[in-house]
Amino acid sequence: MYVPAGAFRMGSTEEDLDRVLAECPGCSRSWFENELPQHTVRLDAYWIDRTEVTNAMFAQFVAATGYVTTAETLGGGITLNPLSRDWRMTAGAEWRRPRGPGTDILGLDGHPVVQVSHYDAEAYCA
């Protein structure tokens, strides 16, 4: 779909950051400092897919190119512990095993692919 040229506010205000930290006791301010300061970004017009890249679409890309993701190269990816609400590096987490060993994407072909870095997204788009 076509997205016309325009401007938007990117990032967070100090008030936004204070609110997030109040709602997330285990979070560190340093995790969000790249959100500051909020600023205006202007973009040229561009075309974009209507939906996220699905597991099936990404699998087709990997099969056709032999691409290896950042998480696969690093030996793991970042996952959220739902009980403690903290993020951690999980050995073996990657797009086929998004929460680590013992997890998979079977039956999730139409779901958005996860555990991909911006480098992986750039490779997919190229």
Side-chain angles (χ1 to χ4, degrees):
M1 65 184 287
Y2 179 76
V3 178
F8 68 96
R9 302 290 291 160
M10 182 177 191
S12 300
T13 64
E14 289 285 347
E15 293 78 18
D16 294 333
L17 186 53
D18 290 343
R19 187 175 54 256
V20 167
L21 292 172
E23 294 172 2
C24 184
C27 294
S28 168
R29 182 177 187 83
S30 66
W31 297 352
F32 303 99
E33 287 182 349
N34 64 347
E35 291 281 321
L36 300 170
Q38 189 178 68
H39 58 284
T40 299
V41 175
R42 289 172 175 55
L43 294 176
D44 294 334
Y46 61 95
W47 290 89
I48 191 169
D49 284 346
R50 288 186 181 273
T51 63
E52 300 88 353
V53 175
T54 65
N55 288 318
M57 294 162 69
F58 199 77
Q60 185 178 13
F61 159 69
V62 169
T65 64
Y67 183 78
V68 177
T69 65
T70 302
E72 291 170 291
T73 301
L74 294 175
I78 305 296
T79 61
L80 176 65
N81 180 327
L83 299 176
S84 64
R85 295 179 54 189
D86 66 325
W87 294 91
R88 63 177 175 222
M89 183 69 165
T90 301
E94 42 94 1
W95 74 274
R96 290 180 192 93
R97 289 172 283 284
R99 291 180 309 280
T103 67
D104 59 50
I105 57 172
L106 295 176
L108 301 175
D109 285 350
H111 286 236
V113 67
V114 297
Q115 291 291 359
V116 291
S117 69
H118 71 276
Y119 300 112
D120 303 332
E122 285 176 351
Y124 177 86
C125 290

